[in-house]
């Protein structure tokens, strides 16, 4: 399993931007699909975005499409989530997850080959 560490969260005003980074350890990180999830208080966890290990195909939830961009830097072993035009409803704890399963899979993030970061708070408020 790879180890994941998120960084970059914080407090931002509505309409502002934040960039989250997920740093992965180990030589096998590049073989994993990586996804960003979020969970707000009292709500179910939501898959926000993911990026495939091969070809870099990306996927986005409808709730953030057009505002968030996921990218991968294989040299640095990082996957970033650039969040623009933030709204109060984007407030949540954000997690990155890596898995050898395709991030299209319903079981992404729950297989024996999966790893999760510790989570990072993003608060959008005036």
């Amino acid at each position: 399993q790879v180890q994941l560490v998120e960084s970059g969260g914080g407090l931002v005003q509505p309409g502002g931007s934040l960039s989250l980074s997920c740093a992965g350890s180990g030589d096998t990180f590049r073989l994993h699909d990586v996804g960003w999830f979020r969970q707000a208080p009292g709500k179910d966890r939501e898959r926000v975005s993911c990026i495939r290990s091969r070809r870099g195909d990306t996927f986005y939830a409808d709730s953030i499409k057009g505002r968030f961009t996921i990218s991968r830097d294989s040299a640095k072993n990082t996957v970033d989530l650039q969040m623009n035009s933030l709204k109060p409803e984007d407030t949540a704890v954000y997690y990155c997850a890596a898995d050898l399963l395709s991030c299209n899979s319903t079981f992404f993030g729950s297989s024996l080959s999966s790893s999760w970061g510790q989570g990072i708070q993003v608060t959008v408020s005036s």
Side-chain angles (χ1 to χ4, degrees), residues 36-37 45-50 61 103-108:
W36 282 97
F37 294 74
R45 187 173 63 192
E46 176 188 17
R47 185 182 309 187
V48 173
S49 181
C50 68
C103 62
N104 288 332
S105 169
T106 303
F107 302 103
F108 176 83

Side-chain angles (χ1 to χ4, degrees), residues 10-16 18 86-92 121-126:
L11 173 65
V12 64
Q13 293 186 341
L18 275 178
L86 283 161
K87 305 174 182 180
E89 51 263 44
D90 295 318
T91 295
Q121 179 69 45
V122 171
T123 302
V124 184
S125 175
S126 55

Side-chain angles (χ1 to χ4, degrees), residues 28-123:
T28 61
F29 180 70
R30 60 182 175 83
L31 301 177
H32 290 68
D33 287 10
V34 177
W36 282 97
F37 294 74
R38 68 185 181 186
Q39 188 164 22
K43 294 188 176 181
D44 292 336
R45 187 173 63 192
E46 176 188 17
R47 185 182 309 187
V48 173
S49 181
C50 68
I51 188 165
R52 301 296 309 279
S53 60
R54 294 185 179 184
R55 301 193 306 179
D57 294 344
T58 58
F59 303 93
Y60 298 95
D62 288 342
S63 59
I64 58 86
K65 198 171 291 184
R67 299 188 295 122
F68 291 11
T69 302
I70 192 171
S71 61
R72 187 170 198 149
D73 188 329
S74 297
K76 296 181 179 179
N77 267 7
T78 57
V79 173
D80 294 340
L81 186 69
Q82 177 65 40
M83 306 185 293
N84 298 328
S85 303
L86 283 161
K87 305 174 182 180
E89 51 263 44
D90 295 318
T91 295
V93 178
Y94 284 70
Y95 301 86
C96 68
D99 203 330
L100 292 176
L101 282 181
S102 165
C103 62
N104 288 332
S105 169
T106 303
F107 302 103
F108 176 83
S110 60
S111 78
L112 293 177
S113 64
S114 65
S115 300
W116 287 79
Q118 79 284 359
I120 193 164
Q121 179 69 45
V122 171
T123 302

